[in-house]
């Protein structure tokens, strides 16, 4: 017996329950889902991923979210990197823009 706000036994079968459950709790629009993930570092951050895995994952989210703002993407990408990697990049002697 499945329970729903409509009452006990309101689902004819598992397929009916699954359909209602997904409609209630899952985001249907993959573009919106990817865009929301890009606004939450815990969902897209590098964490324990290798750098190339993080890059692939981030690029897939960007493509799915249809983002095109370069500065916003650059900042989000950097924000998702491991802090040790960011520190290493910031300490590189070559390739930095001048601070003038």
């Amino acid at each position: 017996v499945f329970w729903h706000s409509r009452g006990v036994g309101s689902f004819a079968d598992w397929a009916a329950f699954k359909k209602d459950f997904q409609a209630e709790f899952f985001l249907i629009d993959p573009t919106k889902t990817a865009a929301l993930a890009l606004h939450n570092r815990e969902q897209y951050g590098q964490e324990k991923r290798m750098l190339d895995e993080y890059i692939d994952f981030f690029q897939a989210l960007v493509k799915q979210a249809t983002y095109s703002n370069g500065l916003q993407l650059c900042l989000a990408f950097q924000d998702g990197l491991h802090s040790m990697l960011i520190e290493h990049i910031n300490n590189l002697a070559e390739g930095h823009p001048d601070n003038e």
Side-chain angles (χ1 to χ4, degrees), residues 30-32 34-35 38 60-69 73:
T31 302
K32 287 181 183 175
L38 285 169
L61 279 177
V62 167
K63 183 177 180 181
Q64 194 168 24
T66 65
Y67 272 21
S68 59
N69 182 321
L73 291 174

Side-chain angles (χ1 to χ4, degrees), residues 4 21 34 47 52 64 71 80 91:
H4 189 269
F21 183 84
E47 303 300 325
D52 57 342
Q64 194 168 24
L71 178 60
N91 288 328

Side-chain angles (χ1 to χ4, degrees), residues 25-76:
F25 295 105
F26 288 79
L27 293 173
I28 296 172
D29 187 343
T31 302
K32 287 181 183 175
T33 303
L36 288 171
L38 285 169
H39 289 281
N40 184 346
R41 184 187 184 284
E42 291 178 3
Q43 290 187 7
Y44 77 85
Q46 184 180 359
E47 303 300 325
K48 295 181 181 178
R49 297 182 186 119
M50 297 297 291
L51 182 58
D52 57 342
E53 293 171 338
Y54 169 65
I55 292 170
D56 291 343
F57 182 74
F58 187 84
Q59 286 178 327
L61 279 177
V62 167
K63 183 177 180 181
Q64 194 168 24
T66 65
Y67 272 21
S68 59
N69 182 321
L71 178 60
Q72 184 181 15
L73 291 174
C74 183
L75 293 172

Side-chain angles (χ1 to χ4, degrees), residues 9 17 22 24 29 33 43 59 61 67 70 74 79 84 86 90 94-95:
F17 169 77
Q22 288 176 338
E24 183 74 26
D29 187 343
T33 303
Q43 290 187 7
Q59 286 178 327
L61 279 177
Y67 272 21
C74 183
D79 188 48
M84 288 180 13
I86 293 171
N90 290 336
E94 295 182 22

